[in-house]
Amino acid sequence: MDAISLDAVRYGLTVVLVVILPVVIAFWITIHGAIAIWKTRPAWQAYTAALVVILATLAAIFSNFGDAIGRDLGTVPGLLLVGAGIYFSSWRMSSRIRSHLSFRTFAGVPEVKGEAHDLIESGPFSVVRHPRYFMILVGTIGWALAANYSGGYAVSGLFFIALYLIMRMEERELIARFGDTYRDYQTRVPMVLPRLTRIGQLFA
């Protein structure tokens, strides 16, 4: 692959990064930020509100697209390879995580509908309380390194901050749902960064 095509690939990676990450945040903040309201209303209202926020987010991104993309920091083959390796390591985690979570859970349906379900503490959830978010963090780091644009790094940094806030919102919901059971779980298992001695269990 020559330098021109590598540049095109990196630009494409950056476009996806600066569009998808804000959309993910827009969705989850809309759902978790008003979860008390959504539980009292039909589910379609929550997802309609999320769609409106997502469209507004996309409009803001594309109206400032050049700033969102930022400066091209150059094609660095070693960085591209490292970034790709980190990103694909996150896919190693995905199958284990998906085996414990249904699509409905990924989409936040139980939260919106206030459905009862058991607290998951097995598999990757015995390593960190939010393994899907750890997977996303790892994948985002790899993606940003491979793309190597200033906008990709900036959006990723803001994404990490927003994701932490979303996790705090979700933790409050889980405490309200499971009470002392979840508080005990919090004392035993890290939120999102695994202990070094157990990180391999997320990839096994």
Side-chain angles (χ1 to χ4, degrees), residues 7 10 69-76 79 144 147-153:
D7 286 346
R10 292 191 306 102
I69 293 295
R71 186 163 57 93
D72 183 355
L73 301 178
T75 296
V76 182
L79 195 60
N148 202 33
Y149 270 74
S150 63
Y153 291 124

Side-chain angles (χ1 to χ4, degrees), residues 27-38 166 169-170 172-173:
F27 175 79
W28 282 113
I29 284 184
T30 304
I31 297 299
H32 286 296
I35 196 65
I37 297 174
W38 304 137
I166 290 170
M169 293 178 191
E170 190 170 324
R172 286 198 296 270
E173 296 167 31

Side-chain angles (χ1 to χ4, degrees), residues 13-36:
L13 290 174
T14 306
V15 170
V16 173
L17 197 66
V18 302
V19 171
I20 294 298
L21 295 187
V23 165
V24 170
I25 292 301
F27 175 79
W28 282 113
I29 284 184
T30 304
I31 297 299
H32 286 296
I35 196 65

Side-chain angles (χ1 to χ4, degrees), residues 34-42 110-115 173 176-177:
I35 196 65
I37 297 174
W38 304 137
K39 286 180 179 179
T40 66
R41 297 172 181 269
E111 289 92 339
V112 170
K113 291 190 173 183
E115 296 176 349
E173 296 167 31
R177 191 183 310 169

Side-chain angles (χ1 to χ4, degrees), residues 35-71:
I35 196 65
I37 297 174
W38 304 137
K39 286 180 179 179
T40 66
R41 297 172 181 269
W44 68 265
Q45 293 185 8
Y47 293 108
T48 300
L51 178 60
V52 170
V53 174
I54 287 171
L55 292 176
T57 300
L58 289 172
I61 292 169
F62 286 111
S63 65
N64 300 278
F65 196 65
D67 292 333
I69 293 295
R71 186 163 57 93

Side-chain angles (χ1 to χ4, degrees), residues 89-102 106 119-135 182 185 188-195 198-204:
S89 73
S90 71
W91 279 89
R92 287 290 302 275
M93 290 183 259
S94 65
S95 60
R96 293 200 70 210
I97 295 170
R98 287 198 305 269
S99 70
H100 288 76
L101 294 176
S102 65
F106 270 106
L119 177 64
I120 304 172
E121 299 184 55
S122 58
F125 290 85
S126 68
V127 181
V128 289
R129 302 197 299 274
H130 300 281
R132 63 176 173 168
Y133 293 142
F134 177 71
M135 178 188 73
Y182 195 79
Y185 180 50
R188 293 183 285 105
V189 179
M191 176 186 280
V192 70
L193 297 178
R195 298 182 178 93
R198 302 198 65 192
I199 192 170
Q201 296 177 40
L202 291 172
F203 298 92

